[in-house]
Amino acid sequence: MVSERPYVLLSCAASIDGYIDDMSGSRLLLSNEADFDRVDDVRAGCDAILVGANTIRRDDPRLLVRSATRRAARVARGLSPTPIKVTVTGRGDLDPAARFFTAGDTEKIVYAASPALDRTRELLGAIAEVVDAGDPLDLLHILDDLSGRGVGRLMVEGGGATHTRFLTAGLADELHLVIAPFFVGDRRAPRFVGDGVFPWGPAADTVHRARLAGVTKIDDVVLLRYALSERCPS
């Protein structure tokens, strides 16, 4: 019997003009404390959190559930305090001292492209499970593998290349897009997504629109929730 692939929820904050960072060299805060708490609640309800290798290099995220109450609730349900941490890499050049690997007592999985598998295992095999993800990286294989590990709900937190992969492959079920109340205005900066052919876009004489499932004002930012598959509730 084939397990159903995990429910994939993409989460991102971007400027009004669609950028997820600037070129200053320091982290650009695109959200506010109320929204950070919302994201923490969403994380706590997931089985795994995935980010791309470049996000680890650029932002050094911890990817932990911050709320002690939410961590305790997960433990009471027989889960780890924080969801499994997952990343994908084509080159395997990740720093073992990154907080993705050192912060939190939870399982870490690195899906590496086949040509980088040996290098990745040599570098990270002592602190994370390294899994062959094919050549090129095969998202369906990754989702199938996660499903076999009991992951039913996967939160994808970026960055732009990772979001683009999931969206162009039609593998996202839901999108949470937070819009910050300012512009970045620098085309060198990373965007929410890169170039690609998306299932939601112009095709022949029609336009396939994503379904807007909700709009929420959170202090000075706006959360747009889009349903990208029939599995997403209204």
Side-chain angles (χ1 to χ4, degrees):
M1 178 178 179
V2 178
S3 299
E4 185 176 45
R5 68 169 176 82
Y7 186 93
V8 177
L9 187 157
L10 267 65
S11 176
C12 184
S15 64
I16 293 173
D17 50 347
Y19 293 96
I20 58 175
D21 205 347
D22 59 17
M23 299 301 291
S24 66
S26 56
R27 184 186 176 199
L28 177 65
L29 292 180
L30 288 153
S31 196
N32 55 45
E33 283 303 318
D35 187 56
F36 289 144
D37 186 65
R38 178 196 64 82
V39 171
D40 195 60
D41 187 50
V42 175
R43 281 181 178 175
C46 292
D47 302 304
I49 304 168
L50 184 150
V51 295
N54 194 50
T55 295
I56 295 175
R57 287 189 289 265
R58 186 181 185 101
D59 297 338
D60 194 22
R62 297 185 306 159
L63 300 181
L64 302 178
V65 174
R66 299 192 305 172
S67 164
T69 300
R70 291 175 185 134
R71 292 196 303 270
R74 284 180 56 88
V75 171
R77 299 199 307 271
L79 304 172
S80 61
T82 287
I84 298 167
K85 294 197 276 188
V86 181
T87 190
V88 294
T89 177
R91 304 194 306 268
D93 54 345
L94 286 165
D95 184 356
R99 294 192 297 179
F100 176 95
F101 300 107
T102 62
D105 184 19
T106 192
E107 185 179 356
K108 291 97 177 175
I109 305 173
V110 179
Y111 289 98
S114 300
L117 189 62
D118 291 342
R119 178 187 182 188
T120 309
R121 282 179 173 159
E122 181 178 352
L123 188 64
L124 304 171
I127 56 175
E129 183 174 356
V130 179
V131 179
D132 188 348
D135 182 25
L137 288 163
D138 185 340
L139 291 183
L140 279 173
H141 172 73
I142 291 170
L143 291 176
D144 285 345
D145 187 76
L146 288 171
S147 177
R149 297 169 187 269
V151 173
R153 190 173 181 88
L154 173 67
M155 185 176 185
V156 178
E157 294 198 37
T162 301
H163 283 150
T164 302
R165 282 194 183 110
F166 274 92
L167 289 167
T168 55
L171 294 174
D173 297 293
E174 185 173 348
L175 169 63
H176 290 184
L177 179 60
V178 167
I179 305 300
F182 55 79
F183 296 83
V184 169
D186 187 343
R187 64 182 180 182
R188 300 172 301 166
R191 299 185 67 90
F192 160 47
V193 293
D195 294 344
V197 178
F198 297 86
W200 313 272
D205 295 327
T206 63
V207 175
H208 184 196
R209 299 175 181 270
R211 177 166 58 90
L212 182 63
V215 179
T216 306
K217 180 179 181 296
I218 307 173
D219 293 343
D220 64 345
V221 304
V222 175
L223 166 65
L224 305 175
R225 188 169 72 87
Y226 288 98
L228 302 181
S229 83
E230 294 303 318
R231 300 205 296 173
C232 179
S234 300

